[in-house]
Amino acid sequence: MQISLYNKLEDIPIDKEQWRKLLARNTTRSVFQSYAWTHNWWEQFGNNYTLFFLVAQNNDGQVSGLAPLMLDESRTLRFIADKNSDYLDFIIPDDRSEILSAFFKKIREQQHDWLMIELNNIRRCSDLLDHVKRICNSSNMYFWRNGTIDAPSLIIDGNEKHTERLLKKYSTRRAEKQFSRQGEISFTVFRSREQAAPYWKAFFTQHIDRCGSVNRGSSFIQPAFRRFARELFEQTLEEHTVHFSVLELNGKPIAFHYGFISENRLVWYKPCFDTKIKKGSPGLLLIKRLIEHCVDNKLQELDFTIGAEAFKDRFCSIRRRVDSARIYKSRTRYFTECILHMMWDAVKHTLRKLFPGTNQRKADSTRN
């Protein structure tokens, strides 16, 4: 087996179809691990990072594993696009223990390049962090599982009666009736560049306004992220990877959703609605339409992804767990950051007791 480190994405010895086949056999197979996502994101944002992409090849030269990593300006080694991705992992369908050990041997050989490794948003169905912890214990590195986030989801397949009850709830039906009295409601999933083209500006503006209304920054403030979202949609039309849809009232957009179709599920990513609407709940009606879309297209679930916002409680039927970990080569830094983290947790716990109103659930504001 050969492990190679690449600093240029175009030099990696795997094409789009080979990547797709390798990912299809992996334990985790999210859109955030795909060829299109990785290459499009790197094209827009790669100038701010140093590529640290590891490739495993067997004795026949075939690619058997991918570790899509990058170095940030603080010399932290992390997944490519981790600030914008909800589910991440290495792509190693077979011989995971052996290949992961070889990857981390290569990483240790390059330890002059990095100060810390940060692996974010690993689904519990992956065994990655268990392997990494074992490797750290035997190689003088220090492993810390430093965070866990809820990822709520509505399971539809096999849960049809529950889904039907959700759609018939009074609050859900009321949202539709309020807008029906005002005119014609339409819901459209865009299938072509031409169909979507007139709506991009309205979508970006609406998302920025919506995030601003709750004191969050929208990713779409960045021109590069606007280009990334649009090009990802246009380049994956044949695969139907991106789900870009609009909810309109009398021909005027009142809500949008930019998400993905991945693993036979609809993945929630960038929703928004018109904050100027004072009567009715366009966000609630948007979710109703998305659930109906899942039912009509026989999708297994509506995956609300990371962040346990209160509105998700109204619809989710399961909560998955998504973990993050840090790996240190310095014992001093490891213990220092662990102690500071525990102290901060204690402060937050005290504040929540003193000021119950601040006990808000963690939202996915890092990727708005």
Side-chain angles (χ1 to χ4, degrees), residues 103-199:
F103 276 159
F104 273 84
K105 180 181 178 182
K106 189 71 171 180
I107 289 171
R108 290 197 307 275
E109 290 173 358
Q110 303 293 322
Q111 62 179 318
H112 57 278
D113 291 334
W114 57 271
L115 296 175
M116 179 181 72
I117 305 169
E118 188 165 314
L119 301 176
N120 292 321
N121 298 345
I122 315 295
R123 286 191 279 184
R124 286 276 173 93
C125 60
S126 170
D127 59 0
L128 175 63
L129 295 185
D130 292 332
H131 282 296
V132 172
K133 184 178 181 180
R134 172 186 56 78
I135 292 167
C136 289
N137 290 340
S138 61
S139 59
N140 295 319
M141 293 193 293
Y142 304 93
F143 176 92
W144 177 31
R145 197 182 295 252
N146 69 313
T148 299
I149 308 175
D150 278 347
S153 187
L154 170 62
I155 305 298
I156 295 171
D157 186 31
N159 200 25
E160 289 81 5
K161 288 186 178 180
H162 173 72
T163 304
E164 187 177 355
R165 286 196 297 270
L166 283 176
L167 294 173
K168 290 182 177 180
K169 282 179 66 174
Y170 172 72
S171 58
T172 310
R173 289 185 288 110
R174 182 180 62 182
E176 182 149 14
K177 287 181 179 178
Q178 286 176 325
F179 288 108
S180 295
R181 296 190 190 104
Q182 300 176 52
E184 181 182 355
I185 303 170
S186 63
F187 177 74
T188 304
V189 178
F190 300 121
R191 306 290 186 186
S192 69
R193 293 177 178 84
E194 295 74 21
Q195 192 181 20
Y199 290 89

Side-chain angles (χ1 to χ4, degrees), residues 260-300:
F260 311 101
I261 304 296
S262 179
E263 302 175 274
N264 200 33
R265 66 182 71 173
L266 176 56
V267 179
W268 179 266
Y269 189 61
K270 299 288 185 188
C272 59
F273 58 84
D274 188 345
T275 57
K276 296 187 290 293
I277 293 177
K278 304 300 182 184
K279 187 176 181 181
S281 176
L284 182 57
L285 182 55
L286 174 66
I287 293 175
K288 180 176 185 290
R289 286 290 189 267
L290 292 175
I291 294 173
E292 291 170 343
H293 178 82
C294 290
V295 172
D296 293 342
N297 290 273
K298 296 181 170 54
L299 298 176
Q300 293 179 350

Side-chain angles (χ1 to χ4, degrees), residues 116 140-142 144 326-330 333-334 337:
M116 179 181 72
N140 295 319
M141 293 193 293
Y142 304 93
W144 177 31
R326 291 178 178 175
I327 298 99
Y328 301 87
K329 58 183 180 182
S330 164
R333 184 170 182 180
Y334 166 71
E337 294 211 9

Side-chain angles (χ1 to χ4, degrees), residues 239-270:
E239 297 93 339
H240 303 293
T241 299
V242 176
H243 173 102
F244 183 31
S245 55
V246 62
L247 181 68
E248 295 179 282
L249 176 63
N250 297 325
K252 179 185 177 182
I254 60 172
F256 287 95
H257 178 248
Y258 183 100
F260 311 101
I261 304 296
S262 179
E263 302 175 274
N264 200 33
R265 66 182 71 173
L266 176 56
V267 179
W268 179 266
Y269 189 61
K270 299 288 185 188

Side-chain angles (χ1 to χ4, degrees), residues 30-32 37 81-88 120-123 149 151 260 267-270 303-307 312 322-323 364 366-367:
S30 79
V31 65
F32 307 106
W37 178 271
D82 65 341
K83 297 294 185 182
N84 303 117
S85 306
D86 291 353
Y87 302 133
L88 292 165
N120 292 321
N121 298 345
I122 315 295
R123 286 191 279 184
I149 308 175
F260 311 101
V267 179
W268 179 266
Y269 189 61
K270 299 288 185 188
D303 184 353
F304 287 106
T305 68
I306 57 174
K312 296 178 182 179
V322 178
D323 296 318
D364 56 346
T366 57
R367 62 151 180 82

